[in-house]
Amino acid sequence: MTEILSPIERAGLIVAHDGEHPFDAVVPPIFQTSLFTFASMAEMVATYRGERNRFVYSRTTNPNVRLFEDKIAKLEATDDAVGFASGMGAISGSVMAFIEPGDKIVCVRHCYPDAYRLFETLLRRFHVSTTYVDGNDLDAVAAALPGARLLYLESPTSWTMEALDVAALAGLARAHGAVSLIDNSWATPVFQQPITLGVDLVIHSASKYIGGHSDVVAGVVAGRQELIDRIRTTISPYLGAKLAPFDAWLLIRGLRTLPARMHAHEAAGLAVARRLAGHPKVTKVYHPGLGNSLPSGLLGTSSLLSFEFDSSVDIPRFCDALKLFKLGVSWGGHESLVVPALVTLQQNAGPNSAIDFGVPPTMVRLHVGLEGSDALWTDIEHAIGAAVGG
Ligand SMILES: *Cc1c(COP(=O)(O)O)cnc(C)c1O
């Protein structure tokens, strides 16, 4: 396994780029090409025989994609990574690489809703069943694991932001011979490095903080060489959900400012969460950083949080009265966003689900952006005022 990077190596990897680009360019050129030609038959034959390793066709890989994958692998303290066209591409590709008909998956409850729908629709058709467990209940996880092929983790969880004991869960998976995967989109490698906690594969929706500017949909999975080789050779070429060169270029640009943005998001997210916790109309705030110490394994907190109002607040009126927080899904960009649970619960009532996410309709999710926490709090306070009473 790759060594954990020293602070200087880490900074160099993120911001600098010795030897990365031709002509000493500060920014890599975009290799917007579908294919790469060969100088001779001998070279082509040697490449196809696997005796030469070089770029062939951008569905398999491309220099911009490769550079992004290398950076993510090193940031996650592991050997290799594969880029995908979306976070869901990375999730479905990684899961499908390890399962066969009849297999069982154990998944922590409150996982990303479309991961849940993948398990409950597509994978059920291929006779793969999924059991959902409370990730905080290690006994329940241990009881569910015998015979399971995969342990699917997300921490902190979607909507409820429960920070799980990732090291303990990874240990349980290993003891039962299950491959462990974790969705690390919330914390990013800046605030959580699950491979160092014993997890096998780390997945990101790079559409969120890694891209950071709400201008790209992308995903990536990182892990030890043999696991990534399996995804790269048995899944990626056929699923075809490949990361595009320009999207990889945007993600590398996002990585340059990832640590700086995450620290700004952390401070703003905590400021808003603490003020919400002190507001008389707010009954509960879901944010893993409000205790006296951070949950084990987390090195910091991001700015996606949820909370509940008491029944005197009209949630649609609150959302409509917000000016800086825009109504929208997704998160991780520069801009602040709001989405009330009552909207997603209506989606859950559709044909693709029989899900109880355990998310009450009084819940509201915020992504705290980079506009400045004082201005954002003023916006929230004003909107609460507009949503109470006649
Ligand atoms: C958005 C999201 C995904 C899916 O990523 P896409 O890039 O939209 O496919 C996966 N996990 C979490 C936690 C997410 O928020």
Side-chain angles (χ1 to χ4, degrees):
M1 193 189 290
T2 311
E3 307 268 303
I4 297 175
L5 298 175
S6 73
I8 288 184
E9 287 168 325
R10 201 171 167 83
L13 179 80
I14 291 170
V15 177
H17 31 69
D18 287 348
E20 271 176 17
H21 323 310
F23 313 119
D24 297 327
V26 159
V27 172
I30 304 173
F31 292 85
Q32 190 69 34
T33 182
S34 61
L35 73 127
F36 302 83
T37 55
F38 297 90
S40 66
M41 268 300 289
E43 190 191 4
M44 194 172 193
V45 169
T47 303
Y48 273 78
R49 279 200 187 129
E51 293 156 12
R52 274 210 61 177
N53 187 10
R54 46 152 289 168
F55 296 107
V56 174
Y57 185 53
S58 289
R59 171 149 52 80
T60 47
T61 193
N62 166 288
N64 296 102
V65 172
R66 196 60 234 167
L67 187 57
F68 170 68
E69 291 169 339
D70 281 344
K71 284 177 182 286
I72 289 291
K74 293 196 180 107
L75 288 172
E76 289 289 9
T78 190
D79 298 337
D80 202 359
V82 188
F84 280 89
S86 68
M88 277 312 300
I91 292 171
S92 52
S94 305
V95 167
M96 284 194 276
F98 296 95
I99 50 165
E100 287 173 27
D103 276 352
K104 188 176 90 173
I105 298 172
V106 175
C107 175
V108 293
R109 63 172 192 182
H110 302 138
C111 67
Y112 179 65
D114 277 348
Y116 177 93
R117 294 186 187 99
L118 165 73
F119 299 144
E120 292 309 309
T121 60
L122 190 65
L123 296 188
R124 287 241 176 246
R125 281 178 37 215
F126 295 95
H127 306 286
V128 172
S129 66
T130 305
T131 307
Y132 302 88
V133 288
D134 177 352
N136 284 311
D137 185 346
L138 294 177
D139 292 338
V141 177
L145 271 173
R149 182 78 63 177
L150 295 183
L151 175 62
Y152 187 90
L153 304 170
E154 186 177 324
S155 182
T157 52
S158 281
W159 282 89
T160 50
M161 317 295 163
E162 296 156 84
L164 307 177
D165 186 342
V166 173
L169 290 163
L172 285 177
R174 204 172 325 113
H176 286 90
V179 177
S180 56
L181 301 84
I182 188 168
D183 184 329
N184 197 30
S185 309
W186 189 95
T188 82
V190 175
F191 289 148
Q192 183 167 252
Q193 290 155 23
I195 300 280
T196 67
L197 304 172
V199 177
D200 293 318
L201 288 166
V202 180
I203 296 169
H204 288 281
S205 168
S207 324
K208 311 295 165 54
Y209 287 120
I210 289 177
H213 296 76
S214 303
D215 51 12
V216 60
V217 172
V220 65
V221 54
R224 17 178 228 288
Q225 198 62 57
E226 85 238 36
L227 302 182
I228 293 300
D229 281 348
R230 180 148 160 177
I231 297 168
R232 196 185 280 292
T233 59
T234 69
I235 296 288
S236 286
Y238 316 124
L239 199 61
K242 193 57 194 163
L243 181 57
F246 181 54
D247 289 352
W249 185 91
L250 286 171
L251 295 177
I252 292 165
R253 187 179 66 159
L255 282 180
R256 309 289 190 206
T257 57
L258 182 67
R261 283 186 289 108
M262 292 314 290
H263 287 105
H265 280 297
E266 175 176 50
L270 274 169
V272 168
R274 289 190 180 125
R275 282 160 145 172
L276 281 170
H279 196 283
K281 298 286 177 197
V282 172
T283 57
K284 189 164 181 188
V285 179
Y286 298 80
H287 183 299
L290 292 179
N292 291 331
S293 59
L294 278 176
S296 86
L298 269 189
L299 307 168
T301 55
S302 69
S303 65
L304 184 74
L305 59 106
S306 306
F307 65 96
E308 285 179 71
F309 278 128
D310 71 23
S311 57
S312 69
V313 181
D314 182 298
I315 292 174
R317 257 162 63 206
F318 167 75
C319 294
D320 283 336
L322 287 166
K323 292 197 163 56
L324 290 175
F325 286 86
K326 301 293 181 193
L327 272 166
V329 293
S330 196
W331 45 275
H334 47 83
E335 77 287 14
S336 290
L337 294 166
V338 58
V339 53
L342 51 93
V343 173
T344 50
L345 290 171
Q346 282 175 33
Q347 181 183 5
N348 293 344
N352 259 356
S353 83
I355 324 172
D356 178 10
F357 286 117
V359 174
T362 45
M363 208 160 167
V364 176
R365 193 184 76 183
L366 296 179
H367 174 251
V368 180
L370 300 173
E371 298 90 339
S373 60
D374 287 341
L376 291 171
W377 179 249
T378 303
D379 194 27
I380 291 171
E381 250 189 335
H382 166 262
I384 295 174
V388 179

